[in-house]
Amino acid sequence: AGAVPAAGAAGAAAAAAAPAVEEDKAVQLSAMEQLLRRRSVEQLQPEANGLIEKYVGSKRRRESVMLGYLDIIEDILEPSALVTLAFGNQIM
């Protein structure tokens, strides 16, 4: 008769653990479902390529503008042919 209460307690513990196991299973299934719904790297690649092309194009335009400004500054600082003729090689 002493073994029956122990078996009853073990059964009660197992019955209490069963909903916890089911709850854990539901949480795991939910996590897996969210992983499956997330966008994969393959799906993001065209978007990433577009962003990279946009960034590189912007950098190239910025570099082109900066080089244009540098050309203008060099032209301003470079003595003209008339100044060279008037003062000879003294300016250089």
Side-chain angles (χ1 to χ4, degrees):
V4 174
V21 169
E22 290 297 320
E23 187 176 310
D24 287 343
K25 220 184 253 187
V27 168
Q28 288 176 347
L29 286 174
S30 174
M32 284 190 267
E33 184 179 348
Q34 288 176 356
L35 282 174
L36 289 173
R37 288 185 181 190
R38 259 192 349 199
R39 295 174 65 185
S40 67
V41 172
E42 291 83 18
Q43 292 172 331
L44 293 175
Q45 189 168 1
E47 183 179 341
N49 287 344
L51 289 172
I52 291 169
E53 289 173 9
K54 185 177 177 182
Y55 173 79
V56 170
S58 174
K59 287 295 238 182
R60 286 183 179 151
R61 283 190 301 277
R62 187 178 308 149
E63 181 181 6
S64 174
V65 168
M66 294 300 289
L67 289 175
Y69 287 144
L70 286 175
D71 287 342
I72 292 170
I73 292 170
E74 286 175 351
D75 290 343
I76 290 170
L77 295 176
E78 188 176 298
S80 68
L82 293 175
V83 172
T84 307
L85 179 64
F87 295 103
N89 289 334
Q90 296 173 1
I91 294 180
M92 292 183 186

